[in-house]
Amino acid sequence: MGFTIGGIRELGSGSRRRDRTAGSTFVAEYTGRWGWAVRPGARARTGTCSCGDRRCDAPGAHPLESAREVPAGASPDVAACAWADVPGASMMLPVGRAFDILEVAEAAGRRALVRLERMGLPLGPVAVTPDGRAQFFVAPGAAAQLPKLLYRMGWDDAPLDLRALGPGTHITAPPCDLGGLGPVRWLRPPAPGTAAAPPPARLLLGTLAYSCHRT
């Protein structure tokens, strides 16, 4: 027998148990190992969101309003207990607490990452989405600072496909599906030291802007 999230039928019982176990394992890693809060999110199938709202403007790409957040630092037992209440939910990471996000087109992001690694600059995690975006984790405050930083670097009037995500937004965590398009993946996975304390945006922004400009 299947189960539902917000009224949308999802998986069979065997898949549900596997999904629940895998989900709680990832949640425990994110909260306990990397120090990130995790919020249960909706999923989408054939364009329909599991939140139950037929007019949802972000199917499978938003937190579930009624689900409780698993706080940063939660133990594996706490994570497993919390996730048992939302079987089949995706994992959403709140932005603006432990990190902000600099997002660019995937091609520009891959090019920039190679250059940044060659330069030996400190780097945080980098995720890629199935709709072709690269998400660089940077220190909180980047979203508020972005216009000023671009101005100081001389990129303020350039047509760049670059944006910052800050407080009040969420991103889908790997390896969850994003809006029915496929899984989000790590291009550069979290690592001790940089996951909870990613680099300031100013260290990466020049290279990201240059890569966007070339693209």
Side-chain angles (χ1 to χ4, degrees):
M1 185 175 182
F3 63 88
T4 62
I5 305 176
I8 304 300
R9 190 175 183 84
E10 290 284 343
L11 306 172
S13 59
S15 297
R16 176 179 61 183
R17 287 191 293 270
R18 290 192 297 272
D19 187 73
R20 178 181 298 174
T21 300
S24 63
T25 298
F26 281 116
V27 172
E29 181 178 16
Y30 285 145
T31 59
R33 187 175 185 185
W34 306 127
W36 301 335
V38 180
R39 189 169 174 188
R43 296 181 108 169
R45 285 189 174 184
T46 63
T48 303
C49 188
S50 64
C51 70
D53 184 355
R54 296 182 180 276
R55 296 176 295 177
C56 179
D57 57 3
H62 66 86
L64 292 169
E65 292 185 5
S66 60
R68 59 184 173 127
E69 180 180 282
V70 185
S75 68
D77 288 342
V78 170
C81 182
W83 222 247
D85 294 337
V86 284
S90 66
M91 295 178 292
M92 306 289 294
L93 305 178
V95 183
R97 302 181 194 175
F99 58 84
D100 275 11
I101 294 290
L102 292 180
E103 184 182 275
V104 298
E106 182 178 346
R110 288 182 178 274
R111 184 181 298 117
L113 183 58
V114 171
R115 291 176 61 88
L116 291 165
E117 289 177 335
R118 288 176 179 172
M119 295 165 65
L121 292 174
L123 291 168
V126 183
V128 289
T129 68
D131 57 350
R133 307 297 291 176
Q135 298 174 328
F136 287 73
F137 287 51
V138 293
Q145 299 167 2
L146 184 61
K148 183 182 295 185
L149 289 173
L150 289 174
Y151 174 78
R152 289 177 177 175
M153 294 178 180
W155 290 105
D156 56 307
D157 58 352
L160 302 177
D161 182 9
L162 185 158
R163 66 169 182 158
L165 306 179
T169 59
H170 293 75
I171 61 169
T172 301
C176 292
D177 176 89
L178 173 63
L181 300 175
V184 179
R185 297 174 290 110
W186 288 119
L187 187 58
R188 181 184 175 89
T194 60
R202 58 180 173 78
L203 297 182
L204 316 184
L205 190 55
T207 301
L208 284 172
Y210 176 72
S211 295
C212 290
H213 182 66
R214 285 191 59 193
T215 302

